Amino acid sequence: SDIQLYNQLSLLPEKLKKYCVGKREIYHIFLDKYERLWLTSRSDGMVIYHTKTDQLTIPENVHDFKENKVIFDIIQNNKGQIYLAGINKIFLYDEISNKVKEMEELSALMKKENIVKYINNVNLDSEDNLWFISKDHLLNEDLIVMYDSKQHVLKKINSNDKNINGMLKHLETIKFNTNKKLYISTNSGLIEYDARTQLFKDLQIYKTRDIEFGSGSDVWVSTDLGISK
């Protein structure tokens, strides 16, 4: 209800409120290891709120990420660097210049491999290699891509199994668990991928949307039929 919404907004810091009300079309929020809250939207581009000091940081080139250039996903690596996924490109936040900068080498590799459509989900493995969902420009199909940050190469992730490959054409979310296995939610179900053995496993859960990990080996997934574990 409107009353509940007002009560929730009233708990927000005053400096942050104006970025959270009205027709803001907020796309993503992310709390990093330094307790900075990142918020992206179509109207404001990007705001960084420092929860410990009640300060706001606006990247100098924030105007580059408004309207149709919005950031869809954010993740932080082991060194504290912030990766941001937007339309066609992945960016890094430069703390010194307070600017969001394109990963130009990665962009060049993506163009060479005809990977030039939406990037809507990013993840990091234990070696800080970047994994993301994108599209093959020629086939117009979803695909999972791994960027090896040490070897500076791209790898498209696919399977020899035709059924698995069919499932990988319509992707929702990818996330690594602590056992170094990648869980892939698709319109056709949930897949487990072992990056060490490069083996896929269909977990027989229909039309999954999002993934979270519980204690031990627990995996929680949202589906069109509810929540599964």
Side-chain angles (χ1 to χ4, degrees), residues 88-89 106-119 132-138 141 143-146 154-156:
N88 300 341
K89 297 174 183 177
L106 176 56
S107 293
L109 287 170
M110 289 171 63
K111 185 176 181 179
K112 182 179 178 181
E113 296 291 333
N114 290 308
I115 305 168
V116 292
K117 289 205 171 182
Y118 285 86
I119 300 168
F132 56 92
I133 294 175
S134 190
K135 278 187 178 290
D136 187 300
H137 178 60
L138 298 179
E141 294 175 351
L143 75 160
I144 299 171
V145 182
M146 188 270 276
L154 278 183
K155 180 181 178 182
K156 297 180 183 180

Side-chain angles (χ1 to χ4, degrees), residues 6-7 32-33 38 42 59 67 72 118 186 208 212 221:
Y6 174 80
N7 287 338
D32 69 21
K33 64 173 64 177
W38 299 69
R42 182 178 294 276
E67 299 303 326
F72 291 115
Y118 285 86
T186 79
T208 55
E212 285 297 337
V221 293

Side-chain angles (χ1 to χ4, degrees), residues 20-166:
C20 303
V21 297
K23 298 180 179 179
R24 279 299 193 268
E25 291 189 65
I26 295 171
Y27 279 88
H28 193 69
I29 56 173
F30 176 75
L31 186 67
D32 69 21
K33 64 173 64 177
Y34 307 123
E35 296 187 34
R36 297 176 301 186
L37 183 68
W38 299 69
L39 187 150
T40 73
S41 69
R42 182 178 294 276
S43 55
D44 300 306
M46 190 186 319
V47 175
I48 308 165
Y49 176 68
H50 303 256
T51 61
K52 291 182 177 180
T53 60
D54 189 36
Q55 298 297 314
L56 281 178
T57 296
I58 311 294
E60 285 194 18
N61 56 336
V62 69
H63 59 276
D64 293 339
F65 301 96
K66 295 182 181 181
E67 299 303 326
N68 295 321
K69 300 178 182 179
V70 73
I71 295 295
F72 291 115
D73 202 6
I74 302 174
I75 198 164
Q76 188 173 32
N77 68 10
N78 294 323
K79 297 177 182 179
Q81 294 175 300
I82 295 289
Y83 292 90
L84 308 102
I87 295 176
N88 300 341
K89 297 174 183 177
I90 295 180
F91 305 86
L92 271 174
Y93 176 65
D94 188 315
E95 301 273 356
I96 297 174
S97 66
N98 187 31
K99 289 184 177 180
V100 177
K101 298 183 176 181
E102 178 186 350
M103 296 179 66
E104 293 181 352
E105 181 183 64
L106 176 56
S107 293
L109 287 170
M110 289 171 63
K111 185 176 181 179
K112 182 179 178 181
E113 296 291 333
N114 290 308
I115 305 168
V116 292
K117 289 205 171 182
Y118 285 86
I119 300 168
N120 57 15
N121 189 232
V122 290
N123 218 262
L124 291 161
D125 62 22
S126 58
E127 303 298 322
D128 270 348
N129 295 315
L130 195 65
W131 296 65
F132 56 92
I133 294 175
S134 190
K135 278 187 178 290
D136 187 300
H137 178 60
L138 298 179
L139 299 176
N140 195 31
E141 294 175 351
D142 289 350
L143 75 160
I144 299 171
V145 182
M146 188 270 276
Y147 174 60
D148 188 320
S149 57
K150 297 182 179 66
Q151 300 296 322
H152 305 285
V153 294
L154 278 183
K155 180 181 178 182
K156 297 180 183 180
I157 307 301
N158 49 45
S159 171
N160 294 324
D161 186 311
K162 290 184 179 179
N163 291 330
I164 293 290
N165 267 345

